[in-house]
Amino acid sequence: MTVILNQSFTGISIGAVLLLIALGLTLTFGQMGVINMAHGEFIMAGAYTTYVLQKSISSAGVSLLVALPLAFLVAGAMGALLEWLLIRRLYTRPLDTLLVTWGVSLMLQQLARDIFGAPNVQTSAPDLLTGNISLGGGITFANSRLFILGLALLCVLGLTLILRLTPLGRRIRAVVQNRDLAEVSGIATGQVDRITFFIGSGLAGVAGVALTLVGPIGPTMGTNYIVDAFLVVVVGGIGRLKGSVITAFALGVLQSVLEYSTTVSVAKVIVLVAIVAFLQWRPQGLYTLRTRSLA
Amino acid sequence: MTTTTTPTPSVVTPPPPSPLERFRVPAGFVLGAVLLLGVAPLVLTDFRLNLLAKYLCYAIVAVGVSLAWGRGGLMVLGQGVFFGLGGYAMAMHLKLADAATTGETLPDFMQLYGSGDGLPWWWKPFANPAFALAMTVLLPMAVAAVLGFFVFRRRVKGAYFAILSQALAAALSIWLIGQQATTGGTNGLTDIQGFFGYSLDDPVNLRMVYFIIAAVLLLLMVLARQLFVSRYGELLVAVRDSEERVRFLGYDPAGVKLVAYVVAAGMAGLAGALFVPAVGIISPALIGIVPSIGFVIGAAVGGRASLVGAVLGAIAVAWAQSELSDAFPAAWTYLQGLLFVLAVGFLPGGLASLGVVLRRRRAATRTTGESA
């Protein structure tokens, strides 16, 4: 019983990390169709922002709190710049965005290597987040993992509220559902694209801050998560936050349960087979946006 | 993207051939064959020729990429999987043959790391050279057929297909790394000594390997060209440009795409198999996500829709990579990134279309100049 509980909590915390990374992708990939391979490097930018802040602010707690909004802005600005420079030229060729942003990601990784050095660096977590909560009977939850879970849920809530309630959210949803109709209705779709990209990339930065609590910070840290995060969006369905949330936790728990009963590598393969099998049942993902589009 | 966007063909179509140009393709092919089989072995040192052999293996993958992606619009980001399956199938046989010549039954790494309970059952058939050779092509094709069947049947396409094929590459390399005792783990299968009885230490035999690789490349280019001009080739382009219309006309787009995907996988497998004797190693680092994207990038830089462009692009990028990355690792990475951004972002037809684009631009400025 203890094992099952601990294992499913591990799964939930893997899911929380996945969710945090996939949230930004749900916007940029799910809603805009852009395959942004540099998303992983925006995560890295968020992580290095935390690292730099800790150099100047000695209190780990304060620096973490400052890092969250700052990383959002830094990664968001990078994303908006990328959108303005390259991606807006490529909306008619979504698949090519993958290769172009891959080139950008190579350059950003090298930039990080030149600035911060190739070896991984470490930040110190605030005292509050270093311990464990014990529920008795050998069941323990790591505080940092709980923090990530909370952060992920907070981001989902915030994003949902923005998309549902604000005029900006309505414009974003309109552009996603029918770009041409939105354009003739007087929505500046180009501007909406840039803001959407800013938010999506900014969320990657927040994910980067969270990742400093669970692992080292290095130039290639983004690559480790990016494919899994894309799979979450694919399985969750285009442009559906609900789908991403359910999928992230489902894949996290599945992965961790399989890892326990087999090995890490076999678990990866089984998860992939499960995803292909799932797409047989629902080719458009868990939740789909109904359109009259033939594509 | 959920809105109805007509997929714009990202390819610059060449002008219709004039009578003079009818001999352009065969002449170009003969010239290429003379360069590869005659001139290169004469002027290049053994070391350079061996490097060229390695680049030609990437070029063989690019032939398949040009078919599946350039013509079929299938972004095949998992070619590393098929390259790896072919490579491992070949390497497993060569390792077993090496072991047999020294009187052992287990390859060297298994004697080090293996659990000591003999050869795994799935290694045993690879001792047979005919089986191993067949597997270098059939195994990748079978994997592609299974994945492609399920994916295309349910009309999973575009970005979804690209991500899935990428995930497959990640899964295979992670799995190989995990099975240290039977696959050599992170190191892969290294230190291959012989090639069907010929020692790979002997430069003469390495030259032979080069000739085999060059011949296979030329052969596959002829095959791909025949496919391109065939009825099937036209159907494939039709599926790329408007899958729904092809479906309404009564064809099965899933089958058309499956054939291109499976053929491209077979070519990548063959390339992997030939890579092993030329380089002497196959490892997860050569087949994961990064190299898989690399296979596609070379073709994109050269020109995905043009067979020659894709092949030359693959060779050029691989050449630049090994020439520049040793001398200026940092500068090369920036340059590489910039190359991808510029080539794919601003010249979708690749360098092969540069001439057409420039000619069209010059023509455009001339007309506007006259009208002004």
Side-chain angles (χ1 to χ4, degrees):
Chain A
M1 191 59 203
T2 319
V3 172
I4 296 175
L5 271 179
N6 271 336
Q7 212 59 27
S8 31
F9 181 69
T10 312
I12 289 172
S13 72
I14 295 176
V17 172
L18 272 182
L19 175 60
L20 209 47
I21 297 168
L23 260 188
L25 280 180
T26 311
L27 277 178
T28 56
F29 172 56
Q31 307 220 7
M32 302 169 77
V34 171
I35 311 178
N36 180 17
M37 291 301 284
H39 195 80
E41 279 57 54
F42 295 159
I43 295 171
M44 174 191 82
Y48 274 117
T49 306
T50 322
Y51 171 71
V52 171
L53 273 177
Q54 274 208 350
K55 294 265 160 190
S56 46
I57 305 176
S58 48
S59 160
V62 177
S63 76
L64 186 71
L65 282 182
V66 180
L68 282 173
L70 195 69
F72 182 85
L73 289 179
V74 169
M78 286 168 70
L81 189 70
L82 180 71
E83 201 275 345
W84 179 67
L85 278 175
L86 291 171
I87 290 171
R88 71 191 166 112
R89 298 166 209 278
L90 295 168
Y91 282 125
T92 51
R93 302 188 274 138
L95 276 178
D96 281 356
T97 57
L98 191 153
L99 296 178
V100 169
T101 52
W102 173 254
V104 173
S105 116
L106 283 178
M107 288 193 274
L108 288 177
Q109 282 182 21
Q110 187 59 40
L111 194 67
R113 234 172 263 138
D114 286 348
I115 298 176
F116 300 103
N120 289 337
V121 295
Q122 205 98 39
T123 58
S124 47
D127 296 336
L128 197 62
L129 296 182
T130 46
N132 292 305
I133 289 182
S134 182
L135 291 185
I139 304 169
T140 51
F141 292 169
N143 284 349
S144 57
R145 297 273 178 183
L146 278 178
F147 174 76
I148 293 177
L149 183 61
L151 187 66
L153 293 178
L154 207 67
C155 287
V156 172
L157 188 71
L159 196 57
T160 312
L161 289 180
I162 289 176
L163 286 178
R164 285 273 168 86
L165 299 180
T166 62
L168 172 70
R170 269 197 295 280
R171 287 205 296 274
I172 291 177
R173 281 185 294 141
V175 172
V176 167
Q177 289 192 14
N178 194 329
R179 176 171 295 270
D180 297 335
L181 202 52
E183 180 84 51
V184 293
S185 310
I187 294 174
T189 53
Q191 196 191 357
V192 171
D193 285 340
R194 205 150 312 135
I195 296 173
T196 314
F197 222 86
F198 178 82
I199 299 175
S201 309
L203 286 170
V206 174
V209 179
L211 284 183
T212 61
L213 295 172
V214 291
I217 306 160
T220 55
M221 65 182 291
T223 335
N224 301 334
Y225 296 97
I226 190 78
V227 173
D228 285 343
F230 271 118
L231 285 179
V232 167
V233 183
V234 165
V235 173
I238 35 173
R240 293 299 189 157
L241 285 185
K242 197 164 44 166
S244 295
V245 175
I246 295 173
T247 311
F249 287 122
L251 284 188
V253 170
L254 183 66
Q255 174 86 25
S256 109
V257 167
L258 285 173
E259 270 176 27
Y260 182 73
S261 40
T262 59
T263 63
V264 179
S265 52
V266 174
K268 278 265 174 207
V269 178
I270 298 179
V271 167
L272 182 73
V273 171
I275 288 173
V276 173
F278 174 83
L279 289 176
Q280 295 300 299
W281 175 49
R282 276 180 172 271
Q284 306 293 322
L286 198 54
Y287 292 98
T288 48
L289 200 62
R290 279 187 192 36
T291 65
R292 287 165 182 270
S293 153
L294 278 176
Chain B
M1 197 164 292
T2 54
T3 48
T4 41
T5 42
T6 6
T8 25
S10 48
V11 181
V12 182
T13 22
S18 68
L20 246 179
E21 282 190 341
R22 197 179 305 158
F23 297 102
R24 205 175 46 112
V25 170
F29 179 78
V30 170
L31 181 71
V34 168
L35 278 177
L36 273 185
L37 297 175
V39 178
L42 279 180
V43 299
L44 293 179
T45 61
D46 285 334
F47 174 72
R48 296 263 150 205
L49 197 70
N50 187 230
L51 276 183
L52 183 60
K54 180 176 151 186
Y55 308 154
L56 292 186
C57 290
Y58 295 140
I60 294 176
V61 183
V63 173
V65 171
S66 178
L67 174 75
W69 185 37
R71 298 284 162 147
L74 299 168
M75 191 167 217
V76 280
L77 277 183
Q79 291 307 83
V81 171
F82 310 124
F83 189 83
L85 288 174
Y88 270 91
M90 176 65 96
M92 280 159 74
H93 172 70
L94 297 184
K95 287 305 276 186
L96 288 176
D98 281 352
T101 52
T102 54
E104 300 279 349
T105 49
L106 287 179
D108 48 9
F109 74 92
M110 276 194 207
Q111 296 164 27
L112 271 178
Y113 304 113
S115 40
D117 44 6
L119 206 58
W121 61 268
W122 52 276
W123 268 75
K124 283 182 182 145
F126 286 92
N128 180 338
F131 176 84
L133 271 182
M135 277 303 121
T136 60
V137 182
L138 294 183
L139 200 62
M141 287 174 98
V143 171
V146 171
L147 182 77
F149 174 78
F150 284 112
V151 165
F152 298 140
R153 191 178 61 126
R154 293 297 287 169
R155 303 185 194 174
V156 172
K157 55 189 164 191
Y160 281 34
F161 174 70
I163 304 278
L164 273 184
S165 61
Q166 203 173 29
L168 186 66
L172 179 70
S173 68
I174 291 172
W175 183 79
L176 285 169
I177 291 171
Q179 313 297 311
Q180 171 83 19
T182 50
T183 64
T186 322
N187 297 332
L189 301 178
T190 56
D191 196 24
I192 285 156
Q193 305 286 334
F195 183 59
F196 296 98
Y198 296 93
S199 164
L200 289 172
D201 283 336
D202 191 343
V204 176
N205 292 337
L206 270 181
R207 289 199 155 230
M208 176 188 74
V209 170
Y210 167 81
F211 277 110
I212 296 175
I213 292 173
V216 167
L217 173 65
L218 291 167
L219 201 70
L220 289 182
M221 285 180 78
V222 173
L223 181 80
R225 164 106 195 142
Q226 285 317 111
L227 261 181
F228 284 179
V229 296
S230 72
R231 216 173 102 82
Y232 169 78
E234 308 216 326
L235 202 53
L236 188 62
V237 172
V239 169
R240 175 193 71 190
D241 289 345
S242 181
E243 184 168 339
E244 289 304 324
R245 282 184 211 176
V246 174
R247 198 191 317 281
F248 296 154
L249 287 172
Y251 293 99
D252 171 27
V256 175
K257 291 202 274 190
L258 189 61
V259 170
Y261 187 49
V262 169
V263 171
M267 288 179 177
L270 195 54
L274 293 169
F275 183 86
V276 169
V279 181
I281 179 176
I282 186 83
S283 77
L286 289 163
I287 66 178
I289 291 180
V290 176
S292 290
I293 296 181
F295 287 134
V296 168
I297 289 275
V301 168
R304 66 192 80 160
S306 145
L307 184 57
V308 178
V311 165
L312 290 182
I315 296 174
V317 171
W319 172 79
Q321 167 107 39
S322 57
E323 287 296 307
L324 297 174
S325 63
D326 288 339
F328 324 95
W332 162 245
T333 314
Y334 288 122
L335 193 69
Q336 191 185 22
L338 202 64
L339 184 69
F340 299 167
V341 169
L342 294 180
V344 181
F346 297 92
L347 203 62
L351 294 176
S353 71
L354 194 60
V356 181
V357 170
L358 285 181
R359 227 173 303 151
R360 190 176 296 167
R361 185 158 296 174
R362 208 179 312 139
T365 41
R366 202 180 303 138
T367 21
T368 47
E370 279 165 8
S371 64

